[in-house]
Amino acid sequence: MLWAAVLLLLGSLEPSGAWVQPRTRLGRGRAQRYSVEDVPGSLEALVEPSGATSGYMNQQTMLRVKDGPASVEFYTKVLGMSLLRRYDFEEYSFSLMFMGYADPTDIPEAGVEKTMFLLRQLGTIELTWNWGTEEDNAFPGYADGNDEERGFGHIGLTVPDVYAACRRFDSLGVKYRKRPDEGGMKGLAFILDPDGYSVEILSSTRMAGGISEDGNAEGTDAEEEDPTRYAMTQTMLRVRDPAESLRFYSEVLGMRLLNDIHFPEYSFSLYFMGYCDPKDVPKDKTVRTRWCFEQCAAVELTHNWGTEAEKGFRYSNGNDEEKRGFGHIGLVVPDVYEACDRFSAMGVDFRKEPDSGGMKRLAFIRDPDGYSIEILDTKSLAPFEDLAS
């Protein structure tokens, strides 16, 4: 619960309006103190995933970066990820660098085996670098998702010890959006990557501990754990209408609700969606919260109450001209064509059909807020093996 209140204090979450049945609104910036019983109506939108989505996995989050080598250095040396695969498209002057947590000794040296290894990894970060932006003084940079045109919020890393991690970040000269002891909320940090994207640094044990009356995390860091064992656990997206979003992520994409947390005092809710065996979901709320933050590649849907009733309200999807930054999340599915036939039958909005354009066996669909979701399978990258390193 701690991290969400921090986001509110930082301005990433903006209180607004009532939920479900619109009531008299107090306006943005003023909390409405409703009972949590006013909130969970959106959970009725969840459906039991069908067998048609068996084998789906959330494999990537794509971020555009100004300076590819500088970003790779940050994600390796600061965040401890490995460069899993790089593709250089000389004809179009751009590169894709896939970063993730894996034992370097497990990564195949080259060839199809290396690509297959990449596509089996959960929660990778796809850094997209358009060549030349690093030298273009007129280039304004990419939208980080937390300015006025908000949408994407952050990626989140779970670490065994937040304070130990931040001491290491300090030694590396990392920039902070929030240090772990700044503000009223303790034990949680936000650092900035070279493009200004926010990276949340949290501990599952502290999150499970909740918040004490003085705003501090009640849990403790797990000193017995390896302090270098980081995990990419979440990608946060702000959504206008949680009922629509939950229905889409459960019915269309086949994800399950890992955890939901509501803040009536501040008028916002968080819904964590991901792929898991339902038998693994703990019943106890405290245990479930810790378990949730130990799951890789969850999608954190953030709803500021009242946006669902505001006519014309929309978040930036990260792909509009001059507002680009976050690009998409990417799902690996057993078969792209079978998945897209199902999406078409369900009336899903396509940004790219699997055989349109120059890249085949790869599709992009849109969620209710217009965020892009890439759909690929283990054969989608085969045509690019000669571009890989």
Side-chain angles (χ1 to χ4, degrees), residues 65 77 101 111 116 123 138 144 179 219 325 341 367-368 378:
V65 298
K77 293 186 177 180
Y101 289 107
M116 293 298 292
D144 62 24
R179 290 179 176 274
D341 285 345
D367 82 350
T378 56

Side-chain angles (χ1 to χ4, degrees), residues 22-250:
R23 309 182 187 187
T24 302
R25 296 178 59 193
L26 299 180
R28 294 188 183 278
R30 295 179 63 187
Q32 300 204 48
R33 299 177 182 275
Y34 297 140
S35 166
V36 73
E37 294 177 356
D38 293 315
V39 181
S42 57
L43 297 180
E44 297 172 0
L46 290 166
V47 301
E48 181 68 16
S50 71
T53 60
S54 177
Y56 285 24
M57 58 176 284
N58 187 8
Q59 192 267 340
Q60 64 182 250
T61 295
M62 189 275 261
L63 301 174
R64 298 178 178 90
V65 298
K66 178 179 180 179
D67 187 331
S71 292
V72 169
E73 183 176 13
F74 176 89
Y75 281 83
T76 52
K77 293 186 177 180
V78 176
L79 300 186
M81 295 185 182
S82 296
L83 176 60
L84 304 177
R85 199 70 157 138
R86 172 172 173 156
Y87 295 88
D88 295 315
F89 295 82
E90 293 189 10
E91 180 180 0
Y92 302 104
S93 299
F94 77 94
S95 295
L96 305 178
M97 290 86 72
F98 289 87
M99 314 299 300
Y101 289 107
D103 187 331
T105 62
D106 292 336
I107 304 174
E109 292 186 3
V112 176
E113 294 81 7
K114 190 167 186 176
T115 299
M116 293 298 292
F117 179 85
L118 166 67
L119 293 174
R120 289 195 298 269
Q121 304 307 300
L122 288 169
T124 68
I125 304 296
E126 177 188 353
L127 302 176
T128 297
W129 173 37
N130 293 296
W131 303 350
T133 52
E134 75 284 0
E135 299 175 345
D136 185 356
N137 293 330
F139 182 70
Y142 290 111
D144 62 24
N146 291 303
D147 292 330
E148 189 171 335
E149 294 290 341
R150 299 180 307 161
F152 162 80
H154 59 261
I155 61 171
L157 305 186
T158 297
V159 303
D161 188 318
V162 171
Y163 291 92
C166 288
R167 287 192 294 271
R168 178 172 169 273
F169 297 151
D170 288 338
S171 71
L172 294 169
V174 172
K175 294 181 180 179
Y176 285 81
R177 186 177 168 202
K178 177 203 174 298
R179 290 179 176 274
D181 280 340
E182 288 181 341
M185 319 305 296
K186 314 300 182 185
L188 175 147
F190 283 85
I191 63 174
L192 299 174
D193 85 346
D195 289 271
Y197 296 119
S198 291
V199 182
E200 185 177 23
I201 308 298
L202 52 88
S203 162
S204 63
T205 53
R206 285 185 176 272
M207 295 303 99
I211 304 174
S212 64
E213 291 183 0
D214 63 1
N216 298 330
E218 294 179 332
T220 58
D221 289 324
E223 296 181 359
E224 74 279 2
E225 294 182 3
D226 180 354
T228 64
R229 187 172 60 82
Y230 297 179
M232 170 39 193
T233 54
Q234 60 185 253
T235 298
M236 190 274 261
L237 302 174
R238 299 176 179 90
V239 299
R240 175 183 177 272
D241 187 334
E244 290 185 0
S245 295
L246 291 176
R247 184 177 299 110
F248 178 89
Y249 281 84
S250 61

Side-chain angles (χ1 to χ4, degrees), residues 1 12 14 27 51 73 75 82 112 170 177 194 211 272 284-285 311 336 370 373 386 388:
M1 302 168 87
S12 295
E14 185 175 55
E73 183 176 13
Y75 281 83
S82 296
V112 176
D170 288 338
R177 186 177 168 202
I211 304 174
F272 295 85
D284 178 81
K285 190 65 173 179
K311 186 176 180 180
V336 166
I373 301 167
D386 59 336

